[in-house]
Amino acid sequence: MTYTQNNSASRIGSLTQLQWLAVALVVITGVLHVYAGIVEGRIPVALAGVGYAGALVLFFFDYRRRLLYLIGIPYTAVQIPLWLVAKSEYGLIDYVDKAAQVVLILVLIYLYLNTPSGSAGNTATAAD
């Protein structure tokens, strides 16, 4: 058990600056989605934020990070046109969220393209 904890801690400590940027952007957009979903009474918006939280959990457990990057791109990208269609009034928080999402998409594309397909944390093991 101690080995697993140390192994997880070393993986978290070895994140690149770009990975930390992605984490920060996911936290920003996730929190804003949960907040907006609760305040506006839009459950699907809040659930989108919960989806970001789930992705962070998997990311910090080093579970198939390259696949997380790949799935995160359309997951985030689809929210921009949905936001344009679903909302009639836009506030500062909306623009901050969408700016964070655009940057997140670009970071995820870069991480996906620059992460070797056979890297650690990219494949499932029997323990997964």
Side-chain angles (χ1 to χ4, degrees):
M1 180 103 169
T2 303
Y3 173 75
T4 303
Q5 290 172 341
N6 289 341
N7 195 15
S8 293
S10 68
R11 286 190 304 248
I12 291 171
S14 67
L15 294 179
T16 66
Q17 289 181 340
L18 210 52
Q19 287 173 314
W20 280 115
L21 175 61
V23 167
L25 292 167
V26 167
V27 169
I28 290 167
T29 195
V31 167
L32 290 176
H33 274 80
V34 170
Y35 172 78
I38 292 170
V39 169
E40 297 172 5
R42 296 182 181 195
I43 300 302
V45 175
L47 289 176
V50 173
Y52 283 113
L56 277 180
V57 169
L58 293 173
F59 178 80
F60 281 120
F61 276 108
D62 201 18
Y63 184 77
R64 297 185 177 197
R65 284 186 180 163
R66 190 164 191 262
L67 181 61
L68 287 172
Y69 303 148
L70 183 62
I71 292 170
I73 296 164
Y75 182 84
T76 304
V78 75
Q79 293 179 35
I80 296 169
L82 288 174
W83 167 73
L84 289 170
V85 171
K87 287 204 70 164
S88 58
E89 295 180 25
Y90 309 108
L92 179 61
I93 290 177
D94 294 310
Y95 292 115
V96 168
D97 179 45
K98 295 312 152 197
Q101 287 182 329
V102 168
V103 175
L104 176 60
I105 292 165
L106 295 174
V107 170
L108 290 174
I109 290 169
Y110 181 87
L111 287 170
Y112 176 76
L113 293 176
N114 290 287
T115 301
S117 59
S119 66
N122 200 32
T123 56
T125 62
D128 290 339

